Amino acid sequence: MIREDSSARFVAGRGADRKAYLVGGGIGSLAAAAFMIRDGGVPGRNITIYEAMPVLGGSLDGGGNAVAGYTLRGGRMLTTDNYECTWGLFKSITSLSSAGKSVFEETIEFNARNVSHSQARLVDRNGAKIDVTSMGFSMQDRIELVRLSEADEDALGASRITDWLSPPFFETKFWFMWSTTFAFQPWHSAVEFKRYLHRFMLEFSRIETLAGVKRTVFNQFDSLVQPLKSWLVDQGVNVLTGCTVTDFGLKTEKGLTAINVVHYTIGGESEAVAVGEHDLVFFQNGSMTDSSSFGSMTSAPKRLTKNDSQGWALWERLADGHPEFGNPAAFNTSIAESCWESFTVTLKNSVFFDRMEGFTGNKAGTGGLVTFKDSAWLMSVVLAHQPHFANQPPDVQVFWGYALHLERIGDFVPKSMSDCTGNDILQELCGHLNFDLDTFTSAICIPCRMPYITSMFMPRALSDRPLPVPIGSKNFAFVSQFVEIPGDVVFTVEYSFRAAQMAVYELLGIEREVPPILHHDRSIKVKLDALIKAQVKSTD
């Protein structure tokens, strides 16, 4: 049935009277709701979030417990030199763990106490730390990298990184560090790689220490999602979990398209809500963690696809016949090129952390990724500051890892990572570190397969991603990693926040500037530092 809202309708210039429906409960939707309330004057009670999962947060998740094992599909790299929209909002959101402080203030103070400076960024096949003061470039590597970074995006088109860089480049220490920090594969989009080179040029000269990386007090679900959700609920936002939006009703009039009905299922029942003439709809099109599956110590994750979840179906239906709404097929049709696997390990003793701190020279929470450069899987692990979960007991420790090459046979386990149990993954990790397997006595390792985790990096044409507010839209916007924001980079929290802020400001007519992208790549000092770093000779 269709539920017609009986409340007052929007009056021009009075955002307090309109309603907003947000499809998907990821961080982009939460940000959009917050921007509407904080900057647009929309009452929280007029905002409804529809989320198919039992919890909000989307890809910034965190779950489990000390008994069954904690789970993290992954976390996103943060910096305070960028992320203009993200920190702009979190200056307004109160922390749940630091009384009287905003999330931003809490994060700044935490990182002042726990300074990042990795001393073991790359490890070789012998379990030895590699000297990474040099990026390992040849003159040809430098020339090709500059050519790619200066190429016009129209010239790059839908090309791949391998179309611009020769095979030796992918054996440089720079590539191993840059690719594992940001999860790039050689076959990914040259445009996205170029954008990263510019957006994070400040990180180029310190990529080996990860000195620019900032971390939250706990995992990003507990430290970012939970405070934002709590603030929204306090504002009266309506949250419907276990609720799947199945379709939209579209109406086109005078060249403008509007969504006038939102169809959804909840509790096994089909429902629909009528969208008023001045109401708004925000849709999180696509999901990098769609069709994720967890394994266990004794089982490998199932090989799921979008057919198992129907997670891309709504965008596919909406875009059919509407090229201005994007082309999801550019991103979700090659799992082999967009899939990788993470794993979360819960420990009941400090043996592993003690040995890793001794090996790396880094106290947990200060080192960042440790990448096993010669690993067939290209495996990396990271030890966060403990506790990593808000409810984590003091005698429990948690770390996270991931690998990019799932179908290759392991170096110490005769299986592809896709076929490995949690126990197999711990055995492979011990092999690379020359640790005995009893280092992980009583450990719980939960692997997670994510078939579309880097789908937004897939080569694509400019038109494959819709604008946050697509051309011809009267009342709806896309808020996700699959929209087009010139100059910014996907696979970041900032991309979701910027898309949300742009969409809200445009649809509500807010006369306030979205924070501009900080172009560190235009700084003479940053360019000079990058040039000097690229010229450093190897001492190997």
Side-chain angles (χ1 to χ4, degrees), residues 445-499:
C445 176
I446 301 179
C448 179
R449 179 183 175 85
M450 294 170 283
Y452 303 104
I453 188 62
T454 55
S455 52
M456 57 281 176
F457 280 165
M458 293 296 289
R460 45 84 187 172
L462 181 64
S463 60
D464 289 333
R465 298 198 300 214
L467 296 171
V469 178
I471 296 171
S473 166
K474 180 181 179 181
N475 72 339
F476 68 94
F478 295 102
V479 178
S480 76
Q481 297 287 310
F482 300 91
V483 300
E484 178 56 33
I485 303 176
D488 212 346
V489 292
V490 293
F491 212 5
T492 61
V493 174
E494 175 66 11
Y495 206 81
S496 295
F497 272 71
R498 185 170 293 277

Side-chain angles (χ1 to χ4, degrees), residues 333-517:
T333 54
S334 182
I335 288 176
E337 294 179 295
S338 64
C339 183
W340 47 256
E341 191 167 309
S342 68
F343 54 95
T344 312
V345 183
T346 304
L347 305 167
K348 304 297 176 64
N349 60 57
S350 66
V351 175
F352 179 73
F353 269 63
D354 292 342
R355 294 198 64 179
M356 282 296 288
E357 289 182 352
F359 168 67
T360 63
N362 282 112
K363 182 181 177 182
T366 67
L369 282 174
V370 176
T371 294
F372 304 101
K373 183 185 77 69
D374 300 315
S375 160
W377 299 348
L378 194 52
M379 177 191 283
S380 302
V381 296
V382 58
L383 276 61
H385 180 273
Q386 303 295 301
H388 198 41
F389 286 79
N391 66 347
Q392 184 178 324
D395 60 342
V396 169
Q397 294 175 308
V398 178
F399 74 93
W400 180 87
Y402 88 112
L404 289 172
H405 299 151
L406 304 195
E407 302 309 324
R408 296 180 183 177
I409 302 300
D411 298 289
F412 301 93
V413 176
K415 300 180 183 179
S416 69
M417 190 180 188
S418 289
D419 294 327
C420 280
T421 66
N423 189 64
D424 294 330
I425 290 171
L426 293 181
Q427 183 176 337
E428 183 78 4
L429 177 58
C430 281
H432 286 291
L433 287 166
N434 293 321
F435 288 0
D436 293 330
L437 193 54
D438 60 12
T439 301
F440 289 117
T441 301
S442 302
I444 302 171
C445 176
I446 301 179
C448 179
R449 179 183 175 85
M450 294 170 283
Y452 303 104
I453 188 62
T454 55
S455 52
M456 57 281 176
F457 280 165
M458 293 296 289
R460 45 84 187 172
L462 181 64
S463 60
D464 289 333
R465 298 198 300 214
L467 296 171
V469 178
I471 296 171
S473 166
K474 180 181 179 181
N475 72 339
F476 68 94
F478 295 102
V479 178
S480 76
Q481 297 287 310
F482 300 91
V483 300
E484 178 56 33
I485 303 176
D488 212 346
V489 292
V490 293
F491 212 5
T492 61
V493 174
E494 175 66 11
Y495 206 81
S496 295
F497 272 71
R498 185 170 293 277
Q501 195 164 9
M502 290 171 65
V504 167
Y505 281 22
E506 184 171 346
L507 288 181
L508 284 177
I510 297 173
E511 295 182 358
R512 176 176 170 181
E513 185 182 20
V514 174
I517 293 171

Side-chain angles (χ1 to χ4, degrees), residues 213-411:
V213 173
K214 298 297 187 289
R215 299 174 175 88
T216 50
V217 174
F218 301 116
N219 64 80
Q220 292 168 1
F221 177 77
D222 283 334
S223 288
L224 299 182
V225 174
Q226 291 284 56
L228 184 52
K229 172 195 169 186
S230 178
W231 187 85
L232 292 173
V233 171
D234 287 346
Q235 298 294 319
V237 172
N238 307 295
V239 177
L240 296 179
T241 55
C243 174
T244 301
V245 173
T246 56
D247 207 355
F248 296 120
L250 296 180
K251 178 180 70 175
T252 301
E253 186 176 345
K254 296 181 180 179
L256 295 177
T257 300
I259 291 177
N260 60 3
V261 182
V262 176
H263 298 273
Y264 63 94
T265 61
I266 186 168
E269 299 292 328
S270 296
E271 304 281 357
V273 61
V275 179
E277 183 180 358
H278 299 290
D279 295 342
L280 304 177
V281 177
F282 296 83
F283 172 38
Q284 287 196 290
N285 56 306
S287 169
M288 67 176 78
T289 49
D290 182 65
S291 304
S292 298
S293 56
F294 290 100
S296 70
M297 284 293 283
T298 57
S299 64
K302 293 182 179 179
R303 296 175 183 245
L304 303 180
T305 74
K306 64 177 184 174
N307 297 325
D308 297 292
S309 68
Q310 296 301 305
W312 293 79
L314 185 55
W315 185 19
E316 290 171 337
R317 279 197 293 275
L318 190 62
D320 186 22
H322 291 274
E324 68 274 20
F325 298 160
N327 174 29
F331 308 101
N332 65 18
T333 54
S334 182
I335 288 176
E337 294 179 295
S338 64
C339 183
W340 47 256
E341 191 167 309
S342 68
F343 54 95
T344 312
V345 183
T346 304
L347 305 167
K348 304 297 176 64
N349 60 57
S350 66
V351 175
F352 179 73
F353 269 63
D354 292 342
R355 294 198 64 179
M356 282 296 288
E357 289 182 352
F359 168 67
T360 63
N362 282 112
K363 182 181 177 182
T366 67
L369 282 174
V370 176
T371 294
F372 304 101
K373 183 185 77 69
D374 300 315
S375 160
W377 299 348
L378 194 52
M379 177 191 283
S380 302
V381 296
V382 58
L383 276 61
H385 180 273
Q386 303 295 301
H388 198 41
F389 286 79
N391 66 347
Q392 184 178 324
D395 60 342
V396 169
Q397 294 175 308
V398 178
F399 74 93
W400 180 87
Y402 88 112
L404 289 172
H405 299 151
L406 304 195
E407 302 309 324
R408 296 180 183 177
I409 302 300
D411 298 289

